[in-house]
Structures are given as structure tokens and as C-alpha cells.
Amino acid sequence: MIHSHLDRDLSLAELAAAAGLSTGYFSQMFRTATGQSPHQFVLAARIERAKSLLKGSQRVIDVALRCGFKTQQHFSRVFRKMCDVSPTEYRRHEGMADVSAFEVKGQAVTIDSSP
């Protein structure tokens, strides 16, 4: 459900209802299963989708909106916090030979620089 609805608001209550659990129990079980809160997981999934979309020619604001962010500023702030570069910097360096990896949530993400 999460990955197919990243372009819109996903409330904890909605996620819990889809799982048939109370919000508190869902949140606790989700964190146990994934090591992240539902909100952190959704943000990480949105950023991963954004990284894929940034490889194209869409404007950054359009990428932000397609990934469920209300404003480009919020998107840029979250992207920078999770990837240590802005969306524009990520796009600029994507595919360049001298940039081999970015880090997302402490996990190395290698960028394939082959043509």
C-alpha cells in the first residue's frame, strides 16, 4: 500500500486501518519489523522514488509533488537530510564518474556511472 500511494498523504490511522490494527499497535509492530517508524519508512520510500525521477527531465517541484511532498522546500530539506546533497546537486552529479555513491539513512547507495 505504501509504495503505490507515495504521491498522497498517508496517515498512520490509514495505514493501521489497512492492516486491521490500532494505530499504537501498528506503529509498534511496524518499528519492530522494519527498524523505522511508519513515517520514517514513508519518507525513505519517497526519497528513493524521487532519486529515480530525478534521473529524468522533470522539474524538481514536479518530482516533489509526485512523491507526496506539498512544497519543494520541504522536499529539498528532507532530501538533503537523508542524502547529504540537495535534489539539484544529486541530479547534477548523477552518472558522473567522480561521484560513486551517496548515503541514504546510513546505507551506501552506489550510482552506476557507466553509459
Side-chain angles (χ1 to χ4, degrees):
M1 173 184 180
I2 292 173
H3 292 286
S4 61
H5 297 294
L6 289 175
D7 60 336
R8 64 179 184 82
D9 285 337
L10 292 171
S11 70
L12 179 60
E14 182 181 3
L15 295 173
L21 302 171
S22 71
T23 55
Y25 190 66
F26 173 78
S27 185
Q28 179 184 6
M29 291 293 100
F30 194 94
R31 183 179 291 277
T32 299
T34 66
Q36 297 177 305
S37 72
H39 181 70
Q40 290 168 327
F41 185 90
V42 168
L43 284 179
R46 286 180 171 158
I47 294 302
E48 285 304 312
R49 176 170 291 166
K51 287 169 61 182
S52 176
L53 293 172
L54 286 168
K55 294 176 184 176
S57 60
Q58 294 181 56
R59 297 179 310 159
V60 173
I61 183 62
D62 294 328
V63 170
L65 295 174
R66 286 192 60 196
C67 294
F69 292 93
K70 300 272 188 226
T71 67
Q72 182 174 339
Q73 291 78 13
H74 182 229
F75 168 62
S76 293
R77 188 170 48 252
V78 172
F79 194 98
R80 181 178 289 281
K81 182 177 180 181
M82 296 180 84
C83 299
D84 292 329
V85 294
S86 72
T88 304
E89 291 168 324
Y90 178 85
R91 172 178 273 165
R92 187 179 311 129
H93 295 294
E94 176 61 32
M96 291 180 61
D98 62 331
V99 177
S100 61
F102 287 99
E103 200 169 288
V104 177
K105 284 278 191 187
Q107 297 177 327
V109 178
T110 302
I111 298 171
D112 182 9
S113 59
S114 60

